[in-house]
Amino acid sequence: MKTAEELRNLLRQIDRKSYPAYKNLKGSYRFSGYVLGIDHVQGDPFAAPSRVHIEVEEKTAGLPERLYDKQWKKMALEDALIRIFASGIRKYSFQAKGSGKSGLIRVTNCGQEVLERTAADIREDGTVILRFEVGFPANGRTVNARELEKIFFQYLPSCVQETLYYKNLDIRKLENVMELSEDQEAIRRQLKEYGLVAFVADGSVLPRMSGVSQKPMKDAVPFVSPESVRVTLKLPYYGEISGMGIRRGITLIVGGGYHGKSTLLKALEMGIYPHIAGDGREYVITDPDAVKIRAEDGRSIKHTDISMFISNLPNQKDTVSFDTEDASGSTSQAANVIEAMEAGASTFLIDEDTSATNFMVRDELMQKVIHKDMEPITPFIERMQYFYKKFGISTVLVAGSSGAYFQVADVIVQMDRYQPREITSRAKEATAGYQGLQFLEKEIQKPIMKRCPKKNTGLEHRGRIKLKTLGKDGIMLGAETIDLRYVEQVADEEQLTCLGYLMRELETHRMNGKTSICELVESLYRDIERQGLKDVLGERELPGNLALPRKEELCACLNRYRGLQL
């Protein structure tokens, strides 16, 4: 490891040389109180910024161990440090001048969710690592080392002291972060104890500001649970908290348009993640294995057993090992259900608005006109109770157009001007005079799990497989694009970037054609938990722009990968 003065000397030696001279700076440098690591140097001033990291030892950082001695507390504290560092470094960004991205200083932009990110890492010994990007300054395409010297020797030392030294931080704020994470984890544990799939606290603010902002809507109607479904939980710091408990089984959410049905479901979708204080959904907690299901016209399906929903097709197409490059609404939703089931989903979250109607329900008149023998689709409504009784998978369904679901629902909640009302008895009474749907009492077996693919020889080439993140729409793996627009529980673009890295690891080293896709994913995540993401991916230095997705999202990514050779 070199000293800070050696870095200063190197900067002065390369000043005004051609831009690639910056490559000589790669390495680690000891500053007073921390280490600066230059991990990757950009090729020119217009390329992606250089990657650097700060490493502050435990005795200097001074973070009390009680703030990070559990995994969820550690994740929350890392998230808080990223936000604090981002706020501190913002005033220095572009203060150093030059062409292209010169002077840019940027760290991960965290959203409303608390995610496990590579931008910050608190090691077991209390060392704090903060990864971020710096645009190395240039005049045209020549080195402007004097401006970079300002960043390294003026801006960063000041920011590190202000934002990564515990003695200089708002201690009460960090305590609040820890306490909230403990309370959220306590709710998550109590879901199982109370037989719940989700909890929505009284006073929660569910509507978002806009389609492009996930901040809470101002002057929104606070959530208040109906008395009949209210549960009270005890939290270590908050104390007693009351709210709506959504019990295991089948819950139907109904109501008029624009009354908050989908808003509630969206909050439940994202309740798999902790949320920051002030989000309004801090105490909306959903079982972490809940999966949103929807139709997805045009998606690729590889050898998936959808026979419990679709069989006896007129063209005799095999539905036990169904394969298509252009799925219909019904076949795509059937595949999404089965693949979520394979991935270990505990709960299906479904909105009628984004579902294939013929997959979801066939009303009484249609059953009379079109005989069952002429219809290859067994609608989801006929399988909902069976999924719960046979496989323990609950369903939360938003419906606004068909009362047929009243027949199978255990609990019915009506949203009325963003306020929930439990109407199960009234809805069941209203259906008493109507002939119910005729369901076939037929035993169904757990679908056949698909095998994982062998390595896709089409992607093997010299060097590493190239990755590219397409916003929140998908990723490119080599020349293949994986469309993830409708995998709706991805919260952040950095989760997609991480999916690309995980896919490359699977593609390059782990696909063997013997185990199932989900067993392959389980094995990968066990290794990540045991060894860490850096060692599993074989990265010398992790980039600071990754957020770990759930196993369910990686399974979904694999299942949508058209390049798989199954």
Side-chain angles (χ1 to χ4, degrees), residues 150-161:
K150 289 181 184 178
I151 294 174
F152 286 158
F153 289 89
Q154 295 179 37
Y155 306 156
L156 282 183
S158 176
C159 186
V160 169
Q161 290 185 36

Side-chain angles (χ1 to χ4, degrees), residues 287-293 299 304 334-348 387 391 393 446-450 487 489 516-523 525 550-560:
D287 190 306
D289 293 321
V291 177
K292 173 69 185 300
I293 303 294
R299 67 154 286 195
T304 301
N336 288 344
V337 169
I338 300 306
E339 290 165 356
M341 184 180 180
E342 289 183 352
S346 62
T347 306
F348 297 141
F387 265 114
F391 306 118
I393 302 175
K446 195 167 186 176
I448 299 171
M449 296 180 74
K450 68 175 74 173
V487 180
Q489 287 169 288
S516 74
I517 281 179
C518 295
E519 289 168 342
L520 188 74
V521 171
E522 286 283 351
S523 174
Y525 274 72
R550 296 189 306 166
K551 291 177 286 188
E552 287 84 354
E553 276 65 62
L554 181 54
C555 287
C557 189
L558 280 162
N559 284 316
R560 285 159 180 75

Side-chain angles (χ1 to χ4, degrees), residues 406-513:
F406 294 156
Q407 182 178 340
V408 296
D410 298 315
V411 176
I412 303 169
V413 175
Q414 176 188 355
M415 294 302 293
D416 181 2
R417 297 177 179 87
Y418 287 92
Q419 288 295 348
R421 307 183 189 282
E422 195 262 310
I423 60 166
T424 309
S425 297
R426 180 158 62 88
K428 296 285 188 181
E429 289 172 5
T431 62
Y434 290 85
Q435 181 180 353
L437 296 179
Q438 300 300 308
F439 296 163
L440 292 180
E441 296 295 330
K442 181 181 178 182
E443 179 80 6
I444 55 175
Q445 301 300 320
K446 195 167 186 176
I448 299 171
M449 296 180 74
K450 68 175 74 173
R451 303 290 97 183
C452 78
K454 297 179 179 179
K455 290 181 183 179
N456 181 6
T457 54
L459 284 180
E460 293 179 356
H461 54 79
R462 292 182 182 179
R464 304 187 74 182
I465 300 171
K466 291 184 178 180
L467 302 175
K468 184 178 181 181
T469 305
L470 308 174
K472 288 181 68 175
D473 289 343
I475 57 175
M476 287 189 69
L477 189 65
E480 295 285 342
T481 298
I482 306 175
D483 187 350
L484 299 172
R485 288 173 297 167
Y486 301 122
V487 180
E488 296 183 338
Q489 287 169 288
V490 173
D492 194 284
E493 182 179 325
E494 292 192 354
Q495 288 180 304
L496 288 183
T497 305
C498 192
L499 281 172
Y501 278 81
L502 296 175
M503 288 287 290
R504 183 166 65 186
E505 165 63 19
L506 293 173
E507 173 78 41
T508 307
H509 298 117
R510 299 185 180 233
M511 292 181 180
N512 55 24

Side-chain angles (χ1 to χ4, degrees), residues 186-241:
I187 296 174
R188 195 164 283 111
R189 287 196 302 268
Q190 290 178 74
L191 291 181
K192 291 184 179 180
E193 296 175 19
Y194 283 81
L196 305 176
V197 299
F199 174 80
V200 185
D202 290 339
S204 295
V205 176
L206 306 186
R208 298 295 92 187
M209 186 177 292
S210 69
V212 295
S213 174
Q214 287 301 300
K215 293 183 178 180
M217 179 184 290
K218 295 180 180 179
D219 302 320
V221 177
F223 187 91
V224 179
S225 173
E227 284 299 326
S228 56
V229 291
R230 174 174 281 122
V231 297
T232 300
L233 308 178
K234 291 184 178 179
L235 308 184
Y237 292 98
Y238 189 97
E240 288 193 346
I241 186 170

Side-chain angles (χ1 to χ4, degrees), residues 49-290:
S50 301
R51 298 202 306 263
V52 303
H53 75 269
I54 294 292
E55 188 172 327
V56 186
E57 294 180 355
E58 182 273 336
K59 61 182 180 181
T60 306
L63 295 172
E65 188 176 354
R66 60 185 169 76
L67 296 181
Y68 61 89
D69 58 0
K70 296 289 193 299
Q71 187 273 334
W72 54 89
K73 292 160 71 173
K74 175 177 177 287
M75 186 170 72
L77 181 56
E78 288 168 349
D79 177 86
L81 291 178
I82 294 170
R83 295 173 194 271
I84 293 168
F85 184 83
S87 178
I89 205 67
R90 195 172 294 123
K91 60 187 175 184
Y92 298 116
S93 190
F94 290 114
Q95 291 299 303
K97 306 302 181 181
S99 53
K101 294 184 173 65
S102 294
L104 171 67
I105 310 176
R106 180 176 63 195
V107 70
T108 289
N109 181 29
C110 299
Q112 300 298 102
E113 294 80 17
V114 177
L115 305 175
E116 188 173 345
R117 299 179 185 272
T118 57
D121 183 20
I122 303 172
R123 293 179 177 169
E124 289 185 7
D125 63 1
T127 299
V128 176
I129 298 175
L130 206 295
R131 302 179 177 94
F132 55 104
E133 295 178 323
V134 175
F136 284 9
N139 290 323
R141 295 185 182 274
T142 62
V143 168
N144 189 341
R146 289 162 295 176
E147 293 297 300
L148 187 55
E149 189 174 339
K150 289 181 184 178
I151 294 174
F152 286 158
F153 289 89
Q154 295 179 37
Y155 306 156
L156 282 183
S158 176
C159 186
V160 169
Q161 290 185 36
E162 293 171 2
T163 64
L164 298 180
Y165 290 10
Y166 180 71
K167 63 182 181 182
N168 297 328
L169 298 176
D170 184 336
I171 296 173
R172 184 63 251 174
K173 181 178 180 179
L174 295 185
E175 292 284 343
N176 290 341
V177 167
M178 181 273 290
E179 292 171 4
L180 177 58
S181 72
E182 282 277 73
D183 285 344
Q184 290 169 335
E185 183 62 23
I187 296 174
R188 195 164 283 111
R189 287 196 302 268
Q190 290 178 74
L191 291 181
K192 291 184 179 180
E193 296 175 19
Y194 283 81
L196 305 176
V197 299
F199 174 80
V200 185
D202 290 339
S204 295
V205 176
L206 306 186
R208 298 295 92 187
M209 186 177 292
S210 69
V212 295
S213 174
Q214 287 301 300
K215 293 183 178 180
M217 179 184 290
K218 295 180 180 179
D219 302 320
V221 177
F223 187 91
V224 179
S225 173
E227 284 299 326
S228 56
V229 291
R230 174 174 281 122
V231 297
T232 300
L233 308 178
K234 291 184 178 179
L235 308 184
Y237 292 98
Y238 189 97
E240 288 193 346
I241 186 170
S242 295
M244 184 172 75
I246 298 180
R247 301 196 176 278
R248 297 186 60 78
I250 300 171
T251 298
L252 187 63
I253 302 171
V254 299
Y258 303 98
H259 279 257
K261 303 187 304 296
S262 296
T263 298
L264 173 57
L265 188 72
K266 189 65 179 178
L268 297 176
E269 289 173 32
M270 304 315 290
I272 59 173
Y273 303 111
H275 287 77
I276 60 172
D279 172 76
R281 301 169 297 179
E282 302 96 309
Y283 301 108
V284 178
I285 306 294
T286 305
D287 190 306
D289 293 321

